[in-house]
PDB file of all heavy atoms in Angstrom:
ATOM      1  N   MET A 914     -45.665  41.591 -24.142  1.00 96.00           N
ATOM      2  CA  MET A 914     -45.653  41.247 -22.679  1.00 96.00           C
ATOM      3  C   MET A 914     -44.366  41.078 -22.181  1.00 96.00           C
ATOM      4  O   MET A 914     -43.295  40.694 -22.888  1.00 96.00           O
ATOM      5  CB  MET A 914     -46.361  39.844 -22.478  1.00 96.00           C
ATOM      6  CG  MET A 914     -47.891  39.804 -23.000  1.00 96.00           C
ATOM      7  SD  MET A 914     -48.701  38.227 -22.770  1.00 96.00           S
ATOM      8  CE  MET A 914     -48.791  38.125 -21.002  1.00 96.00           C
ATOM      9  N   THR A 915     -44.093  41.317 -20.808  1.00 96.00           N
ATOM     10  CA  THR A 915     -42.810  41.193 -20.136  1.00 96.00           C
ATOM     11  C   THR A 915     -42.849  39.760 -19.368  1.00 96.00           C
ATOM     12  O   THR A 915     -43.946  39.214 -19.269  1.00 96.00           O
ATOM     13  CB  THR A 915     -42.583  42.219 -19.127  1.00 96.00           C
ATOM     14  OG1 THR A 915     -43.539  42.185 -18.042  1.00 96.00           O
ATOM     15  CG2 THR A 915     -42.487  43.656 -19.788  1.00 96.00           C
ATOM     16  N   VAL A 916     -41.675  39.385 -18.856  1.00 95.00           N
ATOM     17  CA  VAL A 916     -41.616  38.044 -18.333  1.00 95.00           C
ATOM     18  C   VAL A 916     -42.576  37.999 -17.055  1.00 95.00           C
ATOM     19  O   VAL A 916     -43.278  36.911 -16.870  1.00 95.00           O
ATOM     20  CB  VAL A 916     -40.217  37.771 -17.836  1.00 95.00           C
ATOM     21  CG1 VAL A 916     -40.136  36.444 -17.105  1.00 95.00           C
ATOM     22  CG2 VAL A 916     -39.324  37.637 -19.141  1.00 95.00           C
ATOM     23  N   PRO A 917     -42.588  38.947 -16.164  1.00 94.00           N
ATOM     24  CA  PRO A 917     -43.541  38.878 -15.028  1.00 94.00           C
ATOM     25  C   PRO A 917     -45.015  38.763 -15.461  1.00 94.00           C
ATOM     26  O   PRO A 917     -45.784  38.308 -14.538  1.00 94.00           O
ATOM     27  CB  PRO A 917     -43.169  40.012 -14.235  1.00 94.00           C
ATOM     28  CG  PRO A 917     -41.880  40.537 -14.684  1.00 94.00           C
ATOM     29  CD  PRO A 917     -41.739  40.244 -16.174  1.00 94.00           C
ATOM     30  N   GLN A 918     -45.375  39.265 -16.518  1.00 94.00           N
ATOM     31  CA  GLN A 918     -46.844  39.255 -16.843  1.00 94.00           C
ATOM     32  C   GLN A 918     -47.276  37.889 -17.207  1.00 94.00           C
ATOM     33  O   GLN A 918     -46.536  36.994 -17.749  1.00 94.00           O
ATOM     34  CB  GLN A 918     -47.141  40.163 -17.976  1.00 94.00           C
ATOM     35  CG  GLN A 918     -46.904  41.600 -17.671  1.00 94.00           C
ATOM     36  CD  GLN A 918     -47.164  42.500 -19.018  1.00 94.00           C
ATOM     37  OE1 GLN A 918     -46.385  42.433 -19.924  1.00 94.00           O
ATOM     38  NE2 GLN A 918     -48.270  43.199 -18.902  1.00 94.00           N
ATOM     39  N   ASN A 919     -48.499  37.493 -16.917  1.00 92.00           N
ATOM     40  CA  ASN A 919     -49.095  36.212 -17.119  1.00 92.00           C
ATOM     41  C   ASN A 919     -50.202  36.219 -17.997  1.00 92.00           C
ATOM     42  O   ASN A 919     -50.983  37.108 -17.983  1.00 92.00           O
ATOM     43  CB  ASN A 919     -49.457  35.541 -15.710  1.00 92.00           C
ATOM     44  CG  ASN A 919     -48.303  35.192 -14.916  1.00 92.00           C
ATOM     45  OD1 ASN A 919     -47.372  34.678 -15.150  1.00 92.00           O
ATOM     46  ND2 ASN A 919     -48.484  35.617 -13.530  1.00 92.00           N
ATOM     47  N   PRO A 920     -50.290  35.228 -18.882  1.00 92.00           N
ATOM     48  CA  PRO A 920     -51.421  35.196 -19.818  1.00 92.00           C
ATOM     49  C   PRO A 920     -52.690  34.903 -19.017  1.00 92.00           C
ATOM     50  O   PRO A 920     -52.595  34.187 -17.985  1.00 92.00           O
ATOM     51  CB  PRO A 920     -50.990  34.115 -20.753  1.00 92.00           C
ATOM     52  CG  PRO A 920     -50.193  33.232 -20.000  1.00 92.00           C
ATOM     53  CD  PRO A 920     -49.323  34.125 -19.142  1.00 92.00           C
ATOM     54  N   SER A 921     -53.822  35.027 -19.637  1.00 87.00           N
ATOM     55  CA  SER A 921     -55.034  34.626 -19.085  1.00 87.00           C
ATOM     56  C   SER A 921     -55.163  33.062 -19.017  1.00 87.00           C
ATOM     57  O   SER A 921     -55.056  32.365 -20.097  1.00 87.00           O
ATOM     58  CB  SER A 921     -56.189  35.126 -19.814  1.00 87.00           C
ATOM     59  OG  SER A 921     -57.490  34.777 -19.390  1.00 87.00           O
ATOM     60  N   SER A 922     -55.467  32.524 -17.868  1.00 83.00           N
ATOM     61  CA  SER A 922     -55.377  30.981 -17.607  1.00 83.00           C
ATOM     62  C   SER A 922     -56.500  30.399 -18.294  1.00 83.00           C
ATOM     63  O   SER A 922     -56.311  29.232 -18.786  1.00 83.00           O
ATOM     64  CB  SER A 922     -55.492  30.752 -16.104  1.00 83.00           C
ATOM     65  OG  SER A 922     -56.586  31.200 -15.705  1.00 83.00           O
ATOM     66  N   ASP A 923     -57.588  31.064 -18.687  1.00 84.00           N
ATOM     67  CA  ASP A 923     -58.693  30.412 -19.377  1.00 84.00           C
ATOM     68  C   ASP A 923     -58.297  30.241 -20.889  1.00 84.00           C
ATOM     69  O   ASP A 923     -59.165  29.629 -21.690  1.00 84.00           O
ATOM     70  CB  ASP A 923     -59.942  31.204 -19.243  1.00 84.00           C
ATOM     71  CG  ASP A 923     -59.875  32.608 -19.838  1.00 84.00           C
ATOM     72  OD1 ASP A 923     -58.884  33.133 -20.145  1.00 84.00           O
ATOM     73  OD2 ASP A 923     -60.946  33.282 -19.883  1.00 84.00           O
ATOM     74  N   LYS A 924     -57.127  30.759 -21.424  1.00 90.00           N
ATOM     75  CA  LYS A 924     -56.782  30.706 -22.737  1.00 90.00           C
ATOM     76  C   LYS A 924     -55.691  29.483 -22.877  1.00 90.00           C
ATOM     77  O   LYS A 924     -55.073  29.344 -23.962  1.00 90.00           O
ATOM     78  CB  LYS A 924     -56.135  31.946 -23.217  1.00 90.00           C
ATOM     79  CG  LYS A 924     -57.169  33.081 -23.352  1.00 90.00           C
ATOM     80  CD  LYS A 924     -58.371  32.805 -24.242  1.00 90.00           C
ATOM     81  CE  LYS A 924     -59.254  34.028 -24.242  1.00 90.00           C
ATOM     82  NZ  LYS A 924     -60.494  33.701 -25.204  1.00 90.00           N
ATOM     83  N   LYS A 925     -55.347  28.929 -21.744  1.00 92.00           N
ATOM     84  CA  LYS A 925     -54.423  27.755 -21.921  1.00 92.00           C
ATOM     85  C   LYS A 925     -54.758  26.678 -22.779  1.00 92.00           C
ATOM     86  O   LYS A 925     -56.080  26.419 -22.831  1.00 92.00           O
ATOM     87  CB  LYS A 925     -54.203  27.243 -20.373  1.00 92.00           C
ATOM     88  CG  LYS A 925     -53.190  26.022 -20.306  1.00 92.00           C
ATOM     89  CD  LYS A 925     -53.174  25.548 -18.820  1.00 92.00           C
ATOM     90  CE  LYS A 925     -52.267  24.333 -18.747  1.00 92.00           C
ATOM     91  NZ  LYS A 925     -52.138  23.885 -17.282  1.00 92.00           N
ATOM     92  N   PRO A 926     -53.949  26.333 -23.596  1.00 93.00           N
ATOM     93  CA  PRO A 926     -54.290  25.197 -24.677  1.00 93.00           C
ATOM     94  C   PRO A 926     -54.934  23.985 -24.082  1.00 93.00           C
ATOM     95  O   PRO A 926     -54.463  23.490 -23.070  1.00 93.00           O
ATOM     96  CB  PRO A 926     -53.077  24.929 -25.313  1.00 93.00           C
ATOM     97  CG  PRO A 926     -52.187  26.175 -25.096  1.00 93.00           C
ATOM     98  CD  PRO A 926     -52.535  26.594 -23.818  1.00 93.00           C
TER      99      PRO A 926
END
Side-chain angles (χ1 to χ4, degrees):
M914 298 184 71
T915 61
V916 177
Q918 291 177 292
N919 292 312
S921 176
S922 60
D923 63 351
K924 299 297 184 181
K925 180 180 176 180

